[in-house]
Amino acid sequence: MDFSLLHPTDQLVMIMDRIYSRGMTTTSGGNLSIRDDSGDVWITPAGIDKGNLTRGDIIRIKSDGTTLGVHRPSSELPFHLAVYKARPDLKAVLHAHPNSLVAFSIARKKPSLSLFPSVGRTCKGIKLAEYDLPGSQKLGDKIAKEFASGSDIVLLENHGVVIGAESLFKAFMTFETLESSAHLESLANQLGRVNHLSPAQLALSDTQHHLLMDDIEFKRRTTEELAERRDMVTLIQRSYKLGLFNATNGTYSVKLADGSILITPFNKDRAYVQVEDIVRVKDGMKERGKIPSRAIKLHATIYDRHPHIRAILVAHPIHLMAFAITDAVFDPRTIPESYILLREVKKVPYELLYTDYGAIAEALSEQSPTLLVSNDSIITTGESLLQAFDRLEVAEATAASLYICQSIGEVVHIKEREIEAINKAFNLK
Ligand SMILES: [Zn+2]
């Protein structure tokens, strides 16, 4: 979907609906605006149900100051205008009070931007603005001062966050990534020692090979390919709804009978992925006119090494990520179902994911079909897409139970003798 071709009112309704339905604002909290190419500002209204906003509710502030619309503009209009005045390059401003960023704003601390690569890539810096009265020009001036110094993300003391960007969709991606990282940081702090990526480590993830592949034209589409495209789209959209993915993070792939690979596209919003967005790759060449995920080479290496693997998922669910960014050990011998599906889950070093695909492929086996990658992701594999997806869901549920257990009592794992009995009963090698 090309957001730049949508009318400002439609963009505002769409993104507010997404923020509200993901639980990142309440019905009365939060406001969004867009500055169009003529300089007019379009902003969400004051006192209207955010769960039920329509195009006709949006207010237009013309550059001469005239206000058009059936409602009052958001009470935070002064700071939106102050930010636009301070930063002529910005076209959208997003403000909300999501739980984790509010927690940081109450503690008056900035969240880390170096827990995993996409937060480092999306969020370049964050400033803290001093507290002031909501809706006041003084608050606007304090926020605008931080934007004027070059930051696109400003956390407001005892209030929430303001994000400016070149488009509303970009502001939303930054917002979603930052809130999920802040949530992750708060969980991980209670689980163990948190590791942060250095700038050099973050830079490793900026791979280019997916952009440089030659094109190939596919003339025939087998019914196998069509069925896999359909099932991938269903599970990708479901994964977004379940919080296993965020808008531009998370990669699913499937190997077809002829050896070619279907994989999620690079930099496309996961919430709206359609069958035509999925990219087919064969013999190192990509389907004409499309760009595959930057993880394509890793997926291809794993398929080459393990002929029985037919699906690979790379995702970032919050509880598993809390294990991935800390020194806590993730041992799935918690309930028989977790052990049977996951067996042993190794944690591999972050660098390997970008510098040694062979070592990642080598770490996978029938006894270890799932890997945690430090400060990056979880990789699950399967003989089918559904089996790999089942492993991902079970792994996240297992991590959540282990996390909750901390506040109840010591974790007691299933004993070795009982594991041997499971192996025998379920024919596990
Ligand atoms: Zn507010």
Side-chain angles (χ1 to χ4, degrees):
M1 186 178 297
D2 186 348
F3 275 85
S4 68
L5 294 177
L6 294 181
H7 190 273
T9 53
D10 296 319
Q11 292 188 44
L12 290 165
V13 168
M14 200 168 187
I15 295 297
M16 187 52 99
D17 180 57
R18 226 162 138 180
I19 292 173
Y20 185 74
S21 61
R22 280 177 95 67
M24 296 193 292
T25 191
T26 58
T27 176
S28 59
N31 34 75
L32 316 175
S33 70
I34 290 176
R35 173 163 57 185
D36 69 20
D37 289 346
S38 73
D40 291 0
V41 172
W42 304 73
I43 190 163
T44 48
I48 300 294
D49 178 7
K50 298 297 190 306
N52 226 345
L53 207 62
T54 62
R55 180 189 299 158
D57 293 325
I58 305 299
I59 317 299
R60 180 181 191 174
I61 319 291
K62 306 216 14 160
S63 34
D64 63 7
T66 330
T67 299
L68 303 174
V70 295
H71 306 292
R72 281 179 297 120
S74 163
S75 57
E76 297 292 16
L77 177 65
F79 83 59
H80 285 255
L81 296 178
V83 171
Y84 289 127
K85 199 170 163 206
R87 290 282 301 277
D89 58 312
L90 297 178
K91 299 287 183 196
V93 172
L94 182 161
H95 166 60
H97 319 140
N99 299 347
S100 300
L101 288 171
V102 165
F104 276 89
S105 91
I106 301 168
R108 301 192 172 187
K109 281 185 177 170
K110 292 192 266 186
S112 169
L113 302 180
S114 57
L115 297 177
F116 52 95
S118 69
V119 72
R121 269 200 306 269
T122 321
C123 309
K124 295 294 181 205
I126 182 165
K127 291 277 180 68
L128 203 55
E130 266 178 56
Y131 178 83
D132 219 310
L133 188 70
S136 67
Q137 190 56 48
K138 270 171 88 186
L139 177 64
D141 293 344
K142 285 176 175 171
I143 297 170
K145 188 182 104 192
E146 303 304 339
F147 273 95
S149 74
S151 185
D152 293 348
I153 306 172
V154 177
L155 195 65
L156 317 184
E157 287 178 353
N158 298 80
H159 189 157
V161 69
V162 181
I163 293 171
E166 67 204 35
S167 74
L168 186 60
F169 180 62
K170 192 124 189 278
F172 172 74
M173 278 197 306
T174 304
F175 172 66
E176 190 188 59
T177 307
L178 184 66
E179 168 63 8
S180 73
S181 180
H183 186 194
L184 172 62
E185 186 172 351
S186 68
L187 289 189
N189 276 336
Q190 296 173 57
L191 195 63
R193 194 174 56 81
V194 178
N195 301 313
H196 297 264
L197 294 170
S198 68
Q201 284 177 310
L202 281 169
L204 282 179
S205 74
D206 207 8
T207 50
Q208 299 291 321
H209 56 77
H210 60 297
L211 305 172
L212 308 171
M213 296 165 80
D214 287 334
D215 281 347
I216 181 172
E217 191 97 52
F218 292 105
K219 297 229 160 58
R220 269 185 73 243
R221 305 286 185 185
T222 61
T223 50
E224 180 208 17
E225 175 180 348
L226 302 179
E228 295 290 4
R229 279 180 186 265
R230 176 197 63 206
D231 295 348
M232 282 176 79
V233 166
T234 304
L235 290 183
I236 288 166
Q237 292 182 354
R238 193 192 299 175
S239 299
Y240 182 75
K241 285 200 186 97
L242 291 171
L244 302 170
F245 272 10
N246 62 25
T248 56
N249 224 345
T251 306
Y252 285 7
S253 77
V254 166
K255 186 169 83 170
L256 300 177
D258 73 345
S260 59
I261 298 168
L262 294 178
I263 192 162
T264 36
F266 170 64
N267 216 14
K268 273 234 160 101
D269 189 345
R270 274 38 177 161
Y272 306 121
V273 163
Q274 299 296 324
V275 284
E276 62 270 26
D277 297 321
I278 303 290
V279 187
R280 186 167 157 197
V281 170
K282 193 171 188 198
D283 303 327
M285 290 181 284
K286 66 179 177 66
E287 190 171 353
R288 187 182 300 281
K290 298 182 184 178
I291 301 175
S293 154
R294 63 170 83 234
I296 178 63
K297 222 170 180 173
L298 169 73
H299 287 234
T301 308
I302 294 172
Y303 287 126
D304 275 351
R305 188 72 58 98
H306 301 282
H308 73 282
I309 292 179
R310 301 300 295 266
I312 302 168
L313 314 185
V314 180
H316 314 83
I318 192 131
H319 294 96
L320 283 164
M321 284 300 289
F323 282 89
I325 69 163
T326 57
D327 54 1
V329 175
F330 178 68
D331 183 344
R333 290 173 303 164
T334 53
I335 61 172
E337 189 208 15
S338 294
Y339 169 72
I340 290 164
L341 269 172
L342 303 173
R343 312 287 295 276
E344 185 196 358
V345 179
K346 297 175 192 161
K347 198 189 280 186
V348 296
Y350 167 84
E351 284 81 358
L352 288 188
L353 193 64
Y354 301 104
T355 59
D356 195 345
Y357 306 126
I360 298 279
E362 203 58 53
L364 288 161
S365 66
E366 268 186 78
Q367 291 74 34
S368 190
T370 296
L371 296 177
L372 269 180
V373 183
S374 294
N375 290 81
D376 196 281
S377 51
I378 176 159
I379 303 175
T380 74
T381 62
E383 290 172 25
S384 68
L385 183 61
L386 199 60
Q387 189 189 39
F389 184 75
D390 191 18
R391 283 198 171 114
L392 176 60
E393 277 194 318
V394 168
E396 173 58 3
T398 306
S401 299
L402 280 167
Y403 182 78
I404 295 166
C405 182
Q406 290 186 114
S407 62
I408 299 170
E410 204 182 321
V411 174
V412 181
H413 284 107
I414 300 174
K415 306 257 175 319
E416 201 50 51
R417 189 166 28 87
E418 293 152 348
I419 291 289
E420 280 165 25
I422 294 175
N423 288 345
K424 215 166 150 197
F426 288 85
N427 238 341
L428 302 177
K429 278 181 242 152

